[in-house]
Amino acid sequence: MIEKHIILQDIDPVVFYGIGNQHLQMLRALYPKLRIVARDNVIRILGDEEQMASFEENSERMRQHVLKFNSLSEEDILDIVKGRRTKDDIPDGVVCYTMSGRAIKARSENQQKLIDTFQQNDMVFAVGPAGTGKTYLSIALAVKALKEKTAKKIILSRPAVEAGEKLGFLPGDMKDKIDPYLQPLYDALEDMLPQVKLQDMMEKHVIQIAPLAFMRGRTLSDAVVILDEAQNTTPQQIRMFLTRMGWNTKMIITGDMTQIDLPKSQKSGLVEALEILKEVEGIGVVELNRKDIVRHKLVTRIVNAYEKFDKGIKKNEE
């Protein structure tokens, strides 16, 4: 009896097998002359040679479907096995899909401008208040580039600047102290990539998350590089970061001018960089505003209230 092993690379096997192995049970019914056994990301098939060849071809098509859409339905399986037309291409406007199968796409005019500007420029500054999707959309663009193999790695960085708390008082070694600052980046990646695959990519340094200080002395090539919370960089830090750019690399720099945690005497590197680089060819600037906020409706009201408060303080100082 012929036996073959199929390895489900780069996808979450749970999505392929279905809840309670429903998809596997369906495949067993569709291929009655095969014995199909799955464990972790390996499928073992035994039986009829003709059905085995068909299963091997269709399982790869199903794997590709999951890789693109992070989902697989019983209808998708039937369409693939029966040779019916399936949706092979990601619809226009969709950047990529979350692990729950939700499409990530622009939800405002300025978010679409961020996507378009990224495609047209090697360096993009995305500036706007909290909740406008700057970081999340930027990471989605990086994940898309990685999946489409237009980039070989993703590098994510943030300045480790205290917002009230002191870094030295946090428990653990340096990694333990730094990780809380980088958690939003981990959260976004976990929403878009299978946990096992994400862990593997990080171990192989295909995805790198590091504090800004770790960028010194490096040349970053064949990558999408994102600097988050850039308003908390000093002029020296952001200059160091921007000059790390290597061949076939795209950079996205995000920041919120209303949340600068630097000492009042220290000028923000992001503010200075925008002043100096605004006319440089190949650099795009996207300004998002409260109309682009995609979080809970209260976030918009909070941003509006603080904006009004800040204007009042500025007026009194004048």
Side-chain angles (χ1 to χ4, degrees), residues 34-47:
L34 294 180
R35 185 182 172 207
I36 303 170
V37 180
R39 184 170 182 177
D40 296 328
N41 69 329
V42 179
I43 302 175
R44 188 164 61 99
I45 49 175
L46 303 90

Side-chain angles (χ1 to χ4, degrees), residues 117-254:
T117 305
F118 175 78
Q119 292 170 345
Q120 296 160 7
N121 297 273
D122 288 336
M123 185 178 290
V124 180
F125 287 84
V127 182
T132 51
K134 308 180 298 294
T135 302
Y136 192 80
L137 196 54
S138 296
I139 291 176
L141 288 166
V143 168
K144 180 185 180 185
L146 198 62
K147 286 188 172 186
E148 294 179 349
K149 301 189 186 306
T150 57
K152 293 181 180 178
K153 54 183 179 279
I154 298 172
I155 300 170
L156 309 173
S157 187
R158 265 187 162 198
V161 176
E162 294 97 335
E165 303 88 357
K166 291 296 180 184
L167 193 62
F169 287 102
L170 292 173
D173 59 18
M174 182 54 72
K175 183 180 184 302
D176 294 328
K177 293 174 189 289
I178 291 297
D179 272 356
Y181 290 92
L182 306 176
Q183 192 57 49
L185 308 180
Y186 289 112
D187 291 343
L189 286 168
E190 286 171 356
D191 203 23
M192 301 173 204
L193 293 166
Q195 182 64 46
V196 174
K197 184 61 182 174
L198 175 57
Q199 190 64 38
D200 181 60
M201 285 178 163
M202 292 183 72
E203 287 174 0
K204 292 178 179 176
H205 303 293
V206 174
I207 294 177
Q208 302 171 30
I209 304 178
L212 180 58
F214 288 28
M215 295 295 110
R216 188 173 296 279
R218 300 183 63 186
T219 300
L220 309 174
S221 301
D222 298 311
V224 176
V225 187
I226 298 171
L227 175 60
D228 194 32
E229 301 286 354
Q231 76 276 2
N232 287 328
T233 61
T234 65
Q236 294 80 9
Q237 285 175 329
I238 201 163
R239 181 187 292 194
M240 176 275 292
F241 175 82
L242 298 177
T243 54
R244 299 306 92 202
M245 192 173 196
W247 294 108
N248 191 38
T249 287
K250 289 204 170 200
M251 282 187 169
I252 307 178
I253 299 93
T254 72

